C-alpha cells in the first residue's frame, strides 16, 4: 500500500495545513462527519468557515483511513479487494441489484462559492477551485453514506472538448480524449504534487475503503467534433466541406411522419427522398485520403488548432451528429460527431445508392449501425473502444460502467466491450442506457446487469397512475431497473407539482421496491428544483425554476458553472429520513432483492392512491410491508390486503410494529382488521414501513 | 494645501489598489455615493464585495476632493475656513443652533465583519481591521449627508486605559491620555505611512470639505485609574491602601433618603455619619509625599506596569470614582477616578473634619467641587485641562466640544476651558452635558451654546404626553437642546414599544421642531434596537434586545466589539425619508431656528395624540405646518387651529400643499375647513409637512 494515492493525498494536505487560514466556507452538509478543526466557525448562513487543508485532510484521516484494513489493495475493484464471489443464479456484476446509487457530476457536486464572491470561480481570491474536484468530493462521502448510498455513479470524467463549448464550461459528454481525465477536476490544493489521475485514484480508494463502489459513464458511439483521435485516424470520422457547414441540417423525408425508428421498412423511402440525396452529396472523403502529402506536413507541424488548420488547408470539417430517428425535430448536435463503425456502407441499404463508391455519410442507418451493419468493421477503432474500460479498471480500479448509446453499437463491438471488461474483472457491472422496458430481455442477453428504465418518467405521473404501474409492473421486467423520479437529463421531482412532499415520498419509497434499484440524482437530496439538463421530459420553462435573483438562475449543471442549493432550509430532512430508513433496508436487503420473497400488496379501497409492497423472510416468517400515499395533497385511509403475504410467510401475527414513517409522528395505524388485513391512515405523501 | 493629510491618504490608498483583490465586503449603505469600481459585486446579503483600497480611495476622490476649493485650508475649523461671521444677537458657536448632528463612535460606526468570519477582528484574514477607523468612516460621510446631517459629533477618541477594561475592548470614557488618539482607530490600510493622528486630520478635512463640522467629547473631570498623568502628578489623584481596596465602597449616610443632590444643607449629616468617617479614614497621602526617594527610584526605573509597581512598593492604589449624589445606588466606577481640583479641603465642609491635616479624599462635596470649592486651585492640573481643546483645535481643526460632567467643574476652570478655546476660535461651539432644562440659564451664562436636554427621556413617553410637553415646552427653554429620542447612553427608540413606527415618526419630526436641534444617534437610522450602553433609562433586559443567534447578542458598543445592523431590511427607509425632508428643512431653516417665526399649533380635538408646529416667513407670508401623529398604533383625524399662524403671517390662503409625508402616499388631507383650519387624516405615527 506504499503506492496508495490516498495516503499520498492525505500527507500533502496535512503538510499544508500551516499554509495559513484561508477565507474558505463549505455548506454544513459537507460535514456529516463531525469535523473538529479548532478554527471552524459556524456561520448563520449554514456554512462553516474552515481551513480547507485541514478540513479535507481530516475527513480522509478521521472517516476514511480509520476504516482501512492494512494489506488490502483498495486501488482495484471492490469485488477483487473483498474477494467477493458471484452468488448462485447470478452473473458477475449483479451486486448492482443490491446497491443504492448516487449519480454525481463531480464538477457540480462539490462545487461551492468558497470565498463567497457570489460567483463560482475556477480560481478564487485565494487560488482555490470553486467547481468540484475529486479531492473535495471526499468530504461528501460521509453524507452520501448517511443517505444509504453504497455506489457512486459518475457522469463522464474524461477530458472533453472546449471548442464551441455549450454553456460556461462545456458538456462532459463531448469527449475529446478517452484516456485523459478532465483537467478541471484537478484540485489546486495539491499543486503540482499530484496529477488529476492520482486524485481520482485516491478518490476510488476512499470509496472502496468505505465499502462504496464506483461506476463511470463511457461514450463509445459519439465523440467531440474536436478530439484527439482525428490526428491519427481521420478515417474514423465523417467529413463535409467547411464552406457548406452552415447548410448542414438533418435531412427531412417527405411523406413519413415524425420521429420514426430507423428500421429497414422505411429505408426505401428514406433513400428515395430528395433531401436525403442532397444530404448524402455533402459528404467528402477524409483529408488524409484527399491529399496524403499535405496531411503529412500538417501532422509534422502539429499546430495547436489542428481542426482549424484542417479547415484552412483542406476546406473540410467534421460532420455533426444528429438523432437516429427519422424526422426527429431535434437540430444537429453541433458539438459531437459519430464514430465511423464500419469502413463500408450498410449492407442492406447500399443498394439504394446511385454509386457505392461515394464518401461515408451520417444517416439514420449508419447511425443505428447495429440494425444496419457493414461488412468491414473498423477494427482499429473497435480495439480502441474496447480498451477504454480495461484502462479505467487497471489504472483506477472502477467497479462498473454505463454505456452511453449502447443501443446504437454493433453487437460484436458491444460483446467486445463487455467481454474485455469481464475478462479483467468478472464481477464488473454494466448499466444499459435503455429506457424501454420491452428491451430488457435484449439488454439481459447482451450481458448488462441493469437497465436505466423509465422510472424518471413514470414516477412523477401519479395522477395518471404511472407510478402505480411502475411499482406493480417492475416484477415482470427481465432486468432490474432504477427506482428514481429524476435523472441528470430530466426535470427535477421537487420542481414538479408535488414539490417537496412528492419528492420525499418517492425518494424514500424507492429504497423499498421490488426488482428496482434505488437511484438518487445529485441535488435531489436537497430538493433541488433546477434540472441539470433539459434533454428529457422537460419543458423550456423548467430551465427557469429558480428565483431570478439566484446565482444559478437559468443555468444547467451539464454546461454551466453550478452548485447545488446545499443551504436549502430543508437540507437535512431527506438525509435524516434515509438515514433512519437505511437500517431497515439493510435488515431486509435479501428479501427486497429477491422476487420470490416479494408479494404485491393491494388495497380494499377502490382506486386508492395507496401503494403497497410486502416482503417475507422464509426462515423467520416475518414480514415487512411498505405503504405509501401517492397523493401529496391529502391524507387517506387504506386497508392493505395481506392474505397472500400471510399465507406465503405462514405468518398469523395479530400485532404489527410501525418501524418507520416519513412523518415524525406516523399518522394513526390501527393494526390489523378482523380479517388480518392492515388498516392505516396515511398523511399526504406519507411512507410507512410495518414489520410483523 | 501640500500638507493636506487627505491628499496624502488618497495617494497612499490609490497607490495600493494593485495590492490585489481582497475578500472584503461592506454593507451597501456605505455606498450612498455610486461606487464604480469594476471589481464590485453585489451580494444577496446586501453587502458589496470591493477592493478596499480602491473603494476608500474612490470615495475621497469622487465625493470629497471633487468639492474641495483650491486655496482653502480645511485643516482649521470650518468657521475659519469659510471666514464665517457670528450673526447679530448670537455668540460664537451658535451655528450649532442651525445644525443637524450625528453622534458617532468611530470604533463602532465603521465596524464590519469584512471577511465574513462571523467575528469582528482587529486583524482579519487579510490583515484588515474590522472595528471602525477614521479612514473607513469617510465612506459613510455621503450616507450621513443623505440623512441631512451637517455636524459629526464623536464620542471620545483619546487613548483610553486597557487595564481592567470593561467588556471586550474597554470604554473610551476611561481616558488614559488627553493628547494621544486611541491607537485602535488607526487603519492598517495605510500601514506605517500614516499615523492615526494624520488619519484624523484627513477625516476632519474631509468633513470640512463636505461642509460638515466636527465636535469631540472631552472629559476633564474624571480619568482612567491607570493614566499617563500619575507619573508626573501623583498629587492630582486620591489614594487608598491597596490592602483595603476590596473594602472600598460608596459611604452610606443613615437617615437620609436615596439619591440626594450634594448641597450644603445635607453636609452636616454627611460628615456626622459613621460610614462617611470610616470612608474618609481610608484615604492616604500620595506615594511621592510618603517616600520621595523611593518615588524617584520608581520614576527612573520607569517600569511598564507603573501602577502595579506603585501598589507593590508603596501599598497604594488610586481610589475609584463614584456618583456625586448622596446615597446613590450605583456602585463605584472602578475604571475611573476623579481629578483633585483643589489642593485643600472644601472651605464650607472642612470644619466638619476632626483634623484638617488629613489626606485628600473623594466625597460628594469634593466631587461636586463647583458647589464646594477649596481656596487653593490645583493650577498645574487646570492648565493641563484648559489646554486640551486648544490642542485639538490647532492640531486637528475641530469645531466644537461637549464637556463631560462640566456641571462638576469649578466655574473658574470652566471659564478657562471655554475662554481659551474661544480665544483660538471665537466661533467654537460648546455642548453642556446638562439634562435638566431648569439649568439651561446657568449653562447659558457659562457660555455654552446648547444643552443635551431631556429629549431622550421625554420623546419615547408618548402615552404620558411627555413628547407633547417636550415639543410645546421647548420654546421656553433658555438654550436650544437636542431633539432626539435616544443617545448612546439610553435605550433605543426602535427597541421600545412603538418600534419602527415610533422611531420613524420621532426621527423625522425632530428635524422640524422649534428651539430644538436634530440629533441622530448612530445606529438609529437603521432602527438598531440594542443600546450602546445601558447607563441611562434602560433596564437590564434592554441589554438583550437582539435575537440569541445574533453575533452581538448581549454586547454593548461602548465596551464591546460591535457593528450596527446595516443589513436590516428597512435599512434605507429612514435615510430615504430624511433625504426627502432635508430640502424642506433647508428651505425653512431660518424660520425653524427663529422662535419669532414659530407658532405652536393646537388642535380642535380633545386630548388628541397629534402634535403640531407652525412657521411663517415674514417676507413672503408663506407658512410651513408640521403635523405628526404620536399614536403608533392607530390612525387619527385632527383639525389644526391655524388662526394665530395665519394672523401672524398675514396669510389667508385657501389651498395648502402636502410637501412631505412619512407614508409613501400621504393619508387623506382635506385642505382647509371653513374657518381656515387644517383637517387631516394621519396614519399611525405619520408625519406630514404642509406649505401654504
Amino acid at each position: 500500500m506504499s503506492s496508495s494515492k490516498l495516503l499520498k493525498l492525505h500527507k500533502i494536505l496535512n503538510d499544508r495545513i500551516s499554509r495559513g487560514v484561508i477565507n474558505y466556507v463549505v455548506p454544513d452538509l459537507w460535514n456529516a462527519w463531525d469535523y473538529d478543526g479548532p478554527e471552524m466557525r459556524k456561520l448563520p448562513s449554514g456554512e462553516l468557515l474552515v481551513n480547507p487543508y485541514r478540513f479535507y485532510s481530516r475527513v480522509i484521516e478521521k472517516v476514511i483511513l480509520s476504516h482501512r484494513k492494512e494489506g488490502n489493495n483498495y486501488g482495484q475493484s471492490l469485488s477483487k479487494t473483498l474477494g467477493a464471489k458471484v452468488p448462485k443464479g447470478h452473473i458477475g456484476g449483479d451486486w448492482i441489484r443490491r446497491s443504492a446509487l448516487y449519480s454525481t457530476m463531480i464538477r457540480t457536486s462539490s462545487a461551492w462559492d468558497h470565498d463567497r464572491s457570489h460567483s463560482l470561480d475556477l480560481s478564487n481570491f485565494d487560488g482555490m477551485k470553486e467547481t468540484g474536484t475529486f479531492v473535495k468530493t471526499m468530504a461528501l462521502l460521509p453524507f452520501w453514506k448517511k443517505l444509504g448510498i453504497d455506489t457512486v455513479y459518475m457522469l463522464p470524467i474524461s477530458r472533453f472538448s472546449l471548442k464551441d463549448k455549450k454553456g460556461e464550461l462545456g458538456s462532459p459528454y463531448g469527449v475529446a480524449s478517452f484516456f485523459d481525465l478532465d483537467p478541471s477536476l484537478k484540485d489546486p490544493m495539491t499543486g503540482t504534487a499530484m496529477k488529476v489521475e492520482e486524485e481520482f485514484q485516491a478518490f476510488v480508494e476512499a470509496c472502496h475503503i468505505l465499502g462504496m463502489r464506483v461506476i463511470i459513464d463511457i461514450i463509445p458511439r459519439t465523440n467531440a467534433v474536436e478530439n484527439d483521435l482525428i490526428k491519427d485516424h481521420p478515417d474514423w470520422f465523417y467529413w463535409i466541406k467547411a464552406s457548406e457547414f452552415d447548410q448542414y441540417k438533418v435531412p427531412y423525408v417527405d411523406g413519413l411522419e415524425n420521429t420514426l425508428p430507423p428500421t429497414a421498412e422505411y429505408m426505401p423511402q428514406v433513400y428515395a427522398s430528395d433531401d436525403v440525396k442532397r444530404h448524402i452529396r455533402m459528404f467528402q472523403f477524409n483529408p488524409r485520403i484527399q491529399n496524403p502529402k499535405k496531411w503529412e506536413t500538417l501532422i509534422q507541424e502539429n499546430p495547436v488548432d489542428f481542426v482549424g488548420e484542417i479547415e484552412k488547408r483542406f476546406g473540410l470539417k467534421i460532420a455533426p451528429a444528429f438523432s437516429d430517428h427519422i424526422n426527429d425535430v431535434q437540430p444537429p448536435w453541433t458539438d459531437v460527431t459519430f464514430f465511423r463503425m464500419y469502413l463500408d456502407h450498410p449492407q442492406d441499404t447500399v443498394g439504394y445508392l446511385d454509386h457505392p463508391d461515394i464518401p461515408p455519410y451520417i444517416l439514420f442507418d449508419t447511425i443505428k449501425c447495429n440494425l444496419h451493419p457493414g461488412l468491414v468493421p473498423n477494427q482499429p477503432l473497435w480495439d480502441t473502444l474496447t480498451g477504454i474500460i480495461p484502462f479505467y479498471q487497471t489504472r483506477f480500479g472502477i467497479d462498473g460502467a454505463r454505456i452511453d448509446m449502447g443501443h446504437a453499437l454493433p453487437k460484436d463491438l458491444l460483446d467486445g466491450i463487455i467481454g474485455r471488461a469481464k475478462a479483467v474483472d468478472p464481477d464488473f457491472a454494466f448499466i444499459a442506457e435503455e429506457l424501454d422496458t420491452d428491451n430488457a430481455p435484449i439488454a439481459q442477453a447482451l450481458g448488462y446487469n441493469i437497465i436505466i428504465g423509465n422510472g424518471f418518467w413514470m414516477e412523477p405521473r401519479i395522477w395518471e397512475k404511472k407510478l402505480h404501474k411502475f411499482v406493480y409492473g417492475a416484477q415482470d421486467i427481465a432486468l432490474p431497473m432504477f427506482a428514481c423520479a429524476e435523472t441528470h437529463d430530466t426535470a427535477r421531482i421537487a420542481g414538479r407539482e408535488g414539490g417537496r412532499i412528492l419528492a420525499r415520498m418517492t425518494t424514500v419509497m424507492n429504497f423499498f421496491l421490488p426488482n428496482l434499484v434505488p437511484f438518487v440524482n445529485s441535488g435531489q437530496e436537497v430538493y433541488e428544483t433546477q434540472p441539470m439538463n433539459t434533454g428529457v421530459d422537460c419543458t423550456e420553462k423548467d430551465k427557469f425554476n429558480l428565483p431570478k435573483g439566484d446565482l444559478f438562475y437559468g443555468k444547467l449543471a451539464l454546461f454551466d458553472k453550478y452548485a447545488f442549493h446545499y443551504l436549502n432550509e430543508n437540507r437535512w430532512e431527506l438525509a435524516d429520513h434515509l438515514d433512519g430508513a437505511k437500517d431497515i433496508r439493510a435488515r431486509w436487503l435479501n428479501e427486497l432483492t429477491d422476487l420470490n420473497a416479494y408479494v404485491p400488496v393491494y388495497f380494499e379501497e377502490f382506486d386508492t392512491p395507496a401503494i403497497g409492497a410486502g416482503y417475507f423472510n422464509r426462515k423467520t416468517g416475518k414480514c415487512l410491508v411498505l405503504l405509501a400515499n401517492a397523493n401529496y395533497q391529502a391524507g387517506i385511509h387504506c386497508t392493505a390486503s395481506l392474505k397472500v403475504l400471510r399465507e406465503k410467510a405462514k405468518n398469523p401475527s395479530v400485532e404489527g410494529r410501525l418501524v418507520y414513517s416519513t412523518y415524525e409522528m406516523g399518522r394513526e395505524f390501527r393494526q390489523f382488521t378482523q380479517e388480518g388485513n392492515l388498516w392505516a391512515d396515511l398523511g399526504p405523501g406519507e411512507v410507512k414501513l410495518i414489520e410483523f
Side-chain angles (χ1 to χ4, degrees), chain A residues 378-397:
Chain A
N378 185 349
Q379 199 57 49
L381 168 64
W382 290 25
D383 290 344
T384 298
L385 298 178
T386 55
I388 300 172
I389 293 179
F391 170 77
Y392 282 91
Q393 288 177 305
T394 51
R395 179 82 190 267
F396 302 106

Side-chain angles (χ1 to χ4, degrees), chain A residues 353-417:
Chain A
L353 294 173
D354 295 338
H355 304 282
D357 54 350
I358 58 166
Y361 54 89
I362 299 175
L363 196 61
F364 315 114
D365 52 348
T366 59
I367 300 173
K368 195 79 170 179
C369 59
N370 53 334
L371 287 183
H372 308 275
L375 275 177
V376 191
N378 185 349
Q379 199 57 49
L381 168 64
W382 290 25
D383 290 344
T384 298
L385 298 178
T386 55
I388 300 172
I389 293 179
F391 170 77
Y392 282 91
Q393 288 177 305
T394 51
R395 179 82 190 267
F396 302 106
I398 57 162
D399 303 277
R402 186 194 80 125
I403 313 294
D404 190 80
M405 282 189 83
H407 54 79
L409 293 180
K411 183 177 180 307
D412 290 346
L413 172 56
L414 197 62
D415 285 346
I417 291 174

Side-chain angles (χ1 to χ4, degrees), chain A residues 518-538:
Chain A
F519 178 100
V520 176
N521 183 34
S522 56
Q524 176 186 345
E525 72 278 19
V526 290
Y527 300 116
E528 191 76 28
T529 58
Q530 178 75 352
M532 299 175 70
N533 181 23
T534 52
V536 177
D537 199 19
C538 275

Side-chain angles (χ1 to χ4, degrees), chain A residues 573-603:
Chain A
E573 186 184 75
L574 259 179
D576 287 341
H577 272 296
L578 294 178
D579 198 10
K582 76 180 179 200
D583 290 342
I584 305 167
R585 176 171 155 86
R587 204 157 65 230
W588 287 91
L589 188 55
N590 285 335
E591 292 72 29
L592 286 166
T593 55
D594 177 4
L595 282 177
N596 293 317
Y598 164 69
V599 176
V601 168
Y602 299 100
F603 297 86

Side-chain angles (χ1 to χ4, degrees), chain A residues 99-135:
Chain A
S99 68
L101 277 76
Y102 185 87
S103 165
T104 173
M105 181 158 152
I106 299 291
R107 177 173 90 186
T108 308
S109 279
S110 59
W112 198 249
D113 181 14
H114 297 297
D115 64 358
R116 295 173 285 169
S117 64
H118 203 50
S119 100
L120 215 53
D121 301 308
L122 295 175
S123 180
N124 76 4
F125 285 137
D126 302 299
M128 307 300 275
K129 186 168 280 185
E130 299 192 329
T131 51
T133 69
F134 292 116
V135 174

